Amino acid sequence: MKIQPINSIECVLLHNRYMPMTDHRLVEMIESEGRSAGVRGEFFTRTSSVGTESYCIGDFQVAISQVDAALPKSGFGGCLPQPITILMMPDAEKRIDSHIAHTFISIKRLPSGSNATERFDAEDVIDTEFQSSEESLLAMKLCYLIADALHRNNPAIAIHWLPSDHLVSPQLFESAASGPSLTPFFVRPYLYSSSGSIGEGQPVGMVANGSQYLLEKPVIFEEAPVDYQWMINRVTQFIDECISKNRVPENGANFYVANDEVIEVIHKDPDPANPLGSYTLIARNVPEFGIKGGLHSVLTSPVQTETAPSKDDDKLDENDPIDLAILNALRAREEAEKAEAATKLPEVKDRRMAPRKTHELASFGRRAAFGKR
């Protein structure tokens, strides 16, 4: 399948100590992980006109920088305030502030006709893009395996996946390898809610930032009164099924995981809000969360949860002015407790959705536009 073209797959590991892998081990590791990822072709090193070495395997050029210095905090400005970062790694900012070393990995496509004896210049590969799900996914898998090997050599305190601007803990990074796919790491959930908060039955929506580099259009799940983790799981399963079947369900089709679910798939054309268009998922029937309907049905009113009366409520008479005042105070307190329990979403716009060139290490954090699509 076609994707939105991307010229490189990049990943950053942040460390609290500097312990680089030796050059000899790097060579062995890259070739070994390349074979594990399923990359076919010759393995060799090449030297640029300025003396910089890169590692090449099959159609991919691999560049690794192990640096005894911290990256500028400004480079993480697009992911630090994101709801998903705060929910999954509350101490993310402290981790950014405390790292003292980093490893930068970049995977690019080699220009056609490359060979081990040629010198090369950086501009040789800048415009060589990944343009299909198959080659993008293979490059991502290779990048993940290399990052994992480097993480095992020098444990990272946080990992930044640049294609989706996803900042995650080492625990999430490691758990992706034991799951059904690596998609939960490759895609950053951008959560939004018209209520301004998530939890206690509040509606939530999701943009799968980075899905445009796995499918032709980004995936969006329309706002619904569901659990955000359920929504993340369904979006991940949708992307994986599209890749597995090498096709996206037809416009208006039903995508479901559980037999009693109805999730409509809508192919949306580009518009000012989403310049790439989208594959939009709409929850039509999800009994687990009280959503009832059928394919193409429209909810005429939001789902509401009735609050069971308390014992104190049973003793109070709404027709009595004093009792009514007490009831109103109790209800106001209950609503305040619910609002406090919900996770407040920060006011932050998602930086996403238009094709862009990923940043390289040399420009990381130096431009205000970092992370914007």
Side-chain angles (χ1 to χ4, degrees), residues 134 166 197 243 306:
E134 182 181 19
H166 198 13
S197 60
I243 293 173
E306 294 185 3

Side-chain angles (χ1 to χ4, degrees), residues 45-80:
T45 60
R46 301 174 76 206
T47 305
S48 73
S49 55
V50 293
T52 304
E53 280 193 345
S54 67
Y55 310 93
C56 304
I57 182 166
D59 295 329
F60 301 133
Q61 172 183 278
V62 180
I64 297 175
S65 301
Q66 301 175 94
V67 184
D68 188 12
L71 283 166
K73 191 174 182 177
S74 57
F76 304 93
C79 53
L80 271 178

Side-chain angles (χ1 to χ4, degrees), residues 100-309:
I100 63 170
H102 68 273
T103 303
F104 193 96
I105 307 159
S106 175
I107 311 287
K108 295 186 177 182
R109 282 192 61 190
L110 284 169
S112 59
S114 297
N115 63 68
T117 61
E118 290 179 340
R119 283 183 174 272
F120 71 96
D121 294 306
E123 56 267 23
D124 288 343
V125 292
I126 286 177
D127 295 321
T128 306
E129 299 174 324
F130 301 107
Q131 300 189 31
S132 73
S133 297
E134 182 181 19
E135 61 184 6
S136 175
L137 190 61
L138 181 57
M140 289 186 185
K141 185 177 180 181
L142 174 60
C143 192
Y144 179 90
L145 291 176
I146 289 173
D148 183 56
L150 290 162
H151 169 56
R152 283 184 274 113
N153 175 73
N154 184 16
I157 57 174
I159 296 93
H160 189 197
W161 186 251
L162 274 74
S164 61
D165 205 10
H166 198 13
L167 183 68
V168 306
S169 66
Q171 291 76 21
L172 189 148
F173 174 80
E174 293 165 6
S175 66
S178 59
S181 77
L182 295 171
T183 305
F185 173 64
F186 294 156
V187 171
R188 186 197 73 198
Y190 172 76
L191 303 175
Y192 66 92
S193 176
S194 57
S195 70
S197 60
I198 295 175
E200 292 295 324
Q202 300 289 349
V204 63
M206 172 186 165
V207 178
N209 198 21
S211 55
Q212 64 268 38
Y213 305 126
L214 293 168
L215 305 177
E216 189 171 7
K217 297 179 181 182
V219 179
I220 298 176
F221 205 120
E222 200 166 271
E223 193 172 354
V226 301
D227 179 77
Y228 76 86
Q229 189 59 57
W230 176 90
M231 182 172 281
I232 291 171
N233 290 342
R234 289 297 179 267
V235 168
T236 298
Q237 290 159 339
F238 175 79
I239 294 169
D240 288 344
E241 183 171 306
C242 292
I243 293 173
S244 174
K245 294 183 176 180
N246 198 33
R247 64 177 178 82
V248 177
E250 294 180 358
N251 185 43
N254 177 30
F255 167 75
Y256 63 92
V257 175
N259 290 331
D260 55 354
E261 289 180 358
V262 177
I263 302 173
E264 185 177 357
V265 181
I266 302 293
H267 296 207
K268 291 194 174 182
D269 294 328
D271 59 40
N274 296 297
L276 302 179
S278 69
Y279 298 120
T280 296
L281 306 180
I282 305 175
R284 297 300 191 191
N285 190 75
V286 188
E288 180 182 354
F289 298 106
I291 301 173
K292 298 179 181 179
L295 194 60
H296 316 306
S297 64
V298 178
L299 293 176
T300 56
S301 61
V303 176
Q304 296 183 349
T305 303
E306 294 185 3
T307 304

Side-chain angles (χ1 to χ4, degrees), residues 332-360:
R333 185 177 68 183
E334 183 180 0
E335 290 302 316
E337 288 173 351
K338 285 184 178 180
E340 188 176 352
T343 301
K344 294 293 182 182
L345 297 181
E347 292 294 329
V348 57
K349 293 183 179 179
D350 189 25
R351 299 174 172 187
R352 60 174 166 88
M353 294 315 176
R356 58 103 176 178
K357 303 281 187 182
T358 52
H359 283 234
E360 295 184 356

